[in-house]
Amino acid sequence: MEQLSGFTPLAVIILLLGVLWIALIVVALIQIAQSTELSAAMKLVWAVIVFFFPFLGTIAWFILGRRIGDPFRS
């Protein structure tokens, strides 16, 4: 198989996975911002977690965040 402008197949796969991961981070941040169950403080906490810990934060949001809501909301 011939290389396309210097990209190996592995590099293309890694690039596509990186783009997919960035898309998941953006989707998580949008869901956090649009959540009606979270207070402003909890939205900020989740956004900081996703932004500063993109791998674990995004996974945590999709597994935990959308289900538990805001434990501090009255």
Side-chain angles (χ1 to χ4, degrees), residues 11-64:
V12 171
I13 291 170
I14 291 172
L15 179 66
L16 290 175
L17 288 174
V19 169
L20 176 64
W21 194 255
I22 290 171
L24 285 174
I25 292 170
V26 170
V27 167
L29 290 172
I30 290 171
Q31 287 181 351
I32 292 167
Q34 292 179 343
S35 176
T36 58
E37 295 181 6
L38 296 176
S39 65
M42 285 305 295
K43 286 180 183 183
L44 180 62
V45 168
W46 273 111
V48 167
I49 290 170
V50 169
F51 187 77
F52 286 109
F53 304 101
F55 185 75
L56 293 176
T58 304
I59 291 172
W61 169 254
F62 285 117
I63 292 174
L64 302 172

